[in-house]
């Protein structure tokens, strides 16, 4: 069997302050055709799974471009069209093929394209025709559109949040698509819109139990696959929102009935699935009052993984003003401050202005009398599913009892080695502030005695009522009663 695999993925915050250009893809991970490294990257799950299965079964695997960008604002038309055409050119060169496997996100929005994935899949289908099996792996924070479902034979989203199951879902995608090529199954899709926006933290109940149950349903009674699209609230496009996608084996009625049943169950759970976020000062009060530590505070509103700059100072400023010590914070995106720290050298003491550079949603810069404690060039953090995650040149500074990790490549906190590679002793800290919504949890929960999700200002604000939506379908809970 001849198989083609490639990736083009980013998550677009349409309210974000910075555009996503070609440099954003090159910073996070751009590999031309045939040049993907011998290690899985975040959006190359299908390619990696195809390598594993193909090696066992003697497939002829053709690898196209793999490109993924750190989430940010609207993708430029030039970036999307350039990378799209590169992928499609790679596909044309690979023809004829029996199967196409794509690593996508599902919430990529470009100038002129509200549904990048639907557009790409339509063009892929036009090239390969109706007889070739086309499958894609998605992030659950996607905008599941009719075009995506129409032009793909199979779509499978990660089930875990944090996304620790990239390879597992990739293998499921590859196996199901291969079964369709062999004529063993006939996937039929059903989608139900829950008319709400809910993010499911699978690290806790009731999301944990719900995901375990849908996995138990797969592979039985003709049910091939179930995916939950949480949606991505910071993407103002028509199809944004929580949806249920079910594939059955040739039985459309069965798929529709199960999708409706699961959607109704999710709707009934929505209040319990909602995460409650105290204000900055309330969160700091809770952390200080907690017996022991470390206590992790998640600054999700400034999460680069959701399109924020990662340079906000709101929580840091309150910690300094309140005289909180024995704390750590990171990663704070500030290439200028990192350059100054490198010039000053380890052990130097200097006044350094950090953060607050990109927009009003970053807060004001804060001036700190600090000591440079450690420097590291081209640092790589352990990302989700043990994929490498680039941080660039990094500096650890200490100011007023707070250790801060400064980075040059925008990224969120995922592995604890973000801190420990620079000599920061996290276990000894009372408070650890991470720039992340939930992906930090897979690693930091092994260390934290308690986790608090904080309501701070930022481009990934948790107060959705403050966002000026123009395109989403309404009504949509919790925006509408």
């Amino acid at each position: 069997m001849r198989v083609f695999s490639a990736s083009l993925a980013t998550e677009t915050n349409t309210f974000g302050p910075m555009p996503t250009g070609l440099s954003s893809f090159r910073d996070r991970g751009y590999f031309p055709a045939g040049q993907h490294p011998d290690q899985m990257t975040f959006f190359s799950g299908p390619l990696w799974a195809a390598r594993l299965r193909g090696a066992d079964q003697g497939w002829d695997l053709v690898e196209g471009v793999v490109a993924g960008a750190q989430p940010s604002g609207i993708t430029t038309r030039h970036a999307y069209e350039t990378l799209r055409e590169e992928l499609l050119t790679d596909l044309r060169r690979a023809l004829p093929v029996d199967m196409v496997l794509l690593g996508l996100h599902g919430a990529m929005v470009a100038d002129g394209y509200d549904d990048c994935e639907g557009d790409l899949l339509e063009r892929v289908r036009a090239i390969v025709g109706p007889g070739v099996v086309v499958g894609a792996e998605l992030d659950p924070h996607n905008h599941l559109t009719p075009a995506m479902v129409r032009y793909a034979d199979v779509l499978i989203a990660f089930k875990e949040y944090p996304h620790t199951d990239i390879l597992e879902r990739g293998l499921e995608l590859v196996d199901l698509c291969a079964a369709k090529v062999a004529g063993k199954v006939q996937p039929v899709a059903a989608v139900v819109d829950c008319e709400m926006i809910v993010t499911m933290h699978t690290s806790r109940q009731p999301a944990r139990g719900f995901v375990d149950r849908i996995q138990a349903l797969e592979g039985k009674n003709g049910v091939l696959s179930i995916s939950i699209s949480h949606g991505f609230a910071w993407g103002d496009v028509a199809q944004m929102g929580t949806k249920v996608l079910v594939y059955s084996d040739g039985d459309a009625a069965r798929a529709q009935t199960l999708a409706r049943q699961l959607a109704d169950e999710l709707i009934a759970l929505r209040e319990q699935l909602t995460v409650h976020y105290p204000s900055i000062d309330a969160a700091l009060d809770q952390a200080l009052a907690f017996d022991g530590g470390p206590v992790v505070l998640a600054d999700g509103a400034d999460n680069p993984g959701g399109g924020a700059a990662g340079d906000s100072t709101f929580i840091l400023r309150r910690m300094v003003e309140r005289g909180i010590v024995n704390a750590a914070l990171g990663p704070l995106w500030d290439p200028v401050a990192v350059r100054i720290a490198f010039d000053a050298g380890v052990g130097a003491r200097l006044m350094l202005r950090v953060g607050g550079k990109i927009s009003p949603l970053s807060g004001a810069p804060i001036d700190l009398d600090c000591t440079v404690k450690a420097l590291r060039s081209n640092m790589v953090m352990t990302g989700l599913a043990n994929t490498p995650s680039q941080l660039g040149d990094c500096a650890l500074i200490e100011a007023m009892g707070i250790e801060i990790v400064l980075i040059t490549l925008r990224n969120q906190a995922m592995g604890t080695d973000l801190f420990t590679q620079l000599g920061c002793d996290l276990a000894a800290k009372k408070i650890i502030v991470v720039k992340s919504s939930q992906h930090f949890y897979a690693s930091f929960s092994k260390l934290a005695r308690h986790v608090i999700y904080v309501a701070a200002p930022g481009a990934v604000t948790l107060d959705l009522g403050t966002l000026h939506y123009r395109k989403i379908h309404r009504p949509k809970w919790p925006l509408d009663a």
Side-chain angles (χ1 to χ4, degrees):
M1 180 161 59
R2 188 168 171 86
V3 179
F4 174 81
S5 185
S7 300
L8 176 54
T10 190
E11 181 181 65
T12 301
N13 184 327
T14 60
F15 305 100
M18 298 180 295
T20 304
L22 281 174
S23 61
S24 300
F25 288 89
R26 296 187 186 279
D27 282 346
R28 187 176 193 188
Y30 166 77
F31 307 101
Q35 296 185 31
H36 189 277
D38 192 25
Q39 182 178 11
M40 186 177 72
T41 54
F42 191 76
F43 289 115
S44 67
L47 183 149
W48 197 254
R51 282 187 183 180
L52 296 175
R53 291 293 191 254
D56 291 338
Q57 301 180 32
W59 293 349
D60 181 9
L61 176 61
V62 181
E63 300 184 1
V65 63
V66 172
Q70 190 67 242
S72 197
I74 296 288
T75 304
T76 66
R77 183 186 293 263
H78 174 66
Y80 172 60
E81 291 182 347
T82 298
L83 294 170
R84 179 192 69 191
E85 293 312 308
E86 182 175 354
L87 187 154
L88 296 176
T89 298
D90 292 341
L91 173 59
R92 291 187 188 98
R93 289 172 178 162
L95 295 177
V97 298
D98 302 293
M99 185 162 69
V100 175
L101 303 167
L102 300 175
L104 306 177
H105 184 286
M108 183 178 184
V109 182
D111 179 17
Y113 301 90
D114 276 6
D115 178 15
C116 290
E117 288 83 2
D119 173 71
L120 177 61
L121 286 166
E122 181 178 7
R123 293 170 189 271
V124 167
R125 179 61 71 193
I127 291 171
V128 301
V132 171
V133 175
V134 177
E137 184 175 29
L138 305 174
D139 188 295
H141 303 124
N142 63 66
H143 311 304
L144 188 63
T145 69
M148 292 163 63
V149 177
R150 176 182 177 184
Y151 294 112
D153 293 284
V154 180
L155 300 170
I156 292 181
F158 312 146
K159 286 184 170 65
E160 301 295 336
Y161 185 41
H163 306 328
T164 55
D165 60 335
I166 298 167
L167 179 57
E168 290 83 353
R169 302 291 81 77
L171 290 168
E172 285 183 11
L173 175 74
V174 171
D175 291 345
L176 189 51
C177 288
K180 179 170 170 57
V181 171
K184 297 178 180 178
V185 297
Q186 185 59 43
V188 177
V191 179
V192 172
D193 188 344
C194 299
E195 297 184 344
M196 65 183 187
I197 314 165
V198 166
T199 299
M200 298 170 57
H201 286 190
T202 56
S203 56
R204 62 188 183 94
Q205 298 293 358
R208 176 72 269 147
F210 186 85
V211 168
D212 289 343
R213 198 169 78 76
I214 65 173
Q215 287 189 282
L217 294 171
E218 293 175 318
K220 300 174 184 175
N221 301 315
V223 178
L224 299 176
S225 172
I226 304 170
S227 291
I228 308 300
S229 293
H230 304 187
F232 183 63
W234 300 272
D236 183 19
V237 295
Q239 296 295 328
M240 186 272 281
T242 304
K243 299 177 184 178
V244 176
L245 169 64
V246 174
Y247 286 97
S248 72
D249 190 2
D251 190 339
R254 181 189 298 273
Q256 184 64 37
T257 298
L258 181 56
R260 181 70 263 175
Q261 174 189 329
L262 293 173
D264 289 341
E265 291 180 21
L266 269 182
I267 292 167
L269 290 172
R270 64 191 186 187
E271 295 282 359
Q272 298 175 58
L273 290 167
T274 301
V275 180
H276 298 284
Y277 302 87
S279 67
I280 294 174
D281 278 302
L284 291 172
D285 289 343
Q286 290 180 28
L288 293 172
F290 185 81
D291 183 14
V295 177
V296 171
L297 273 59
D299 184 7
D302 193 37
N303 173 20
D311 73 335
S312 83
T313 57
F314 298 107
I315 296 179
L316 176 60
R317 184 174 298 278
R318 287 302 296 143
M319 292 170 72
V320 170
E321 290 171 348
R322 293 179 56 164
I324 292 174
V325 298
N326 194 24
L329 181 146
L332 189 70
W333 181 53
D334 195 331
V336 173
V338 172
R339 171 64 182 270
I340 294 171
F342 266 76
D343 286 345
V346 174
R349 183 171 179 177
L350 72 162
M351 290 298 300
L352 191 62
R353 175 167 287 189
V354 301
K357 293 180 171 62
I358 298 302
S359 78
L361 295 174
S362 300
I366 183 167
D367 295 303
L368 299 173
D369 182 358
C370 68
T371 300
V372 179
K373 299 197 69 176
L375 301 168
R376 187 156 182 161
S377 299
N378 300 315
M379 197 166 90
V380 179
M381 167 180 61
T382 303
L384 295 172
N386 291 317
T387 57
S389 198
Q390 305 292 331
L391 297 171
D393 293 345
C394 300
L396 178 69
I397 62 171
E398 181 175 13
M400 301 179 67
I402 304 171
E403 292 190 330
I404 304 166
V405 174
L406 305 174
I407 62 174
T408 53
L409 293 180
R410 284 176 60 243
N411 215 324
Q412 65 176 299
M414 286 187 278
T416 52
D417 55 353
L418 153 72
F419 292 94
T420 57
Q421 289 184 75
L422 293 164
C424 179
D425 183 4
L426 291 178
K429 302 300 181 188
K430 174 66 176 179
I431 294 175
I432 304 168
V433 179
V434 292
K435 301 283 186 177
S436 177
S437 298
Q438 173 69 350
H439 286 333
F440 73 92
Y441 195 93
S443 179
F444 284 80
S445 63
K446 299 172 184 177
L447 171 78
R449 293 284 308 284
H450 186 48
V451 174
I452 302 171
Y453 299 89
V454 186
V460 195
T461 177
L462 305 168
D463 186 358
L464 302 183
T466 64
L467 298 176
H468 300 294
Y469 294 106
R470 297 180 297 110
K471 297 180 179 180
I472 64 171
H473 288 165
R474 308 287 285 263
K476 200 171 298 294
W477 184 92
L479 299 172
D480 309 295

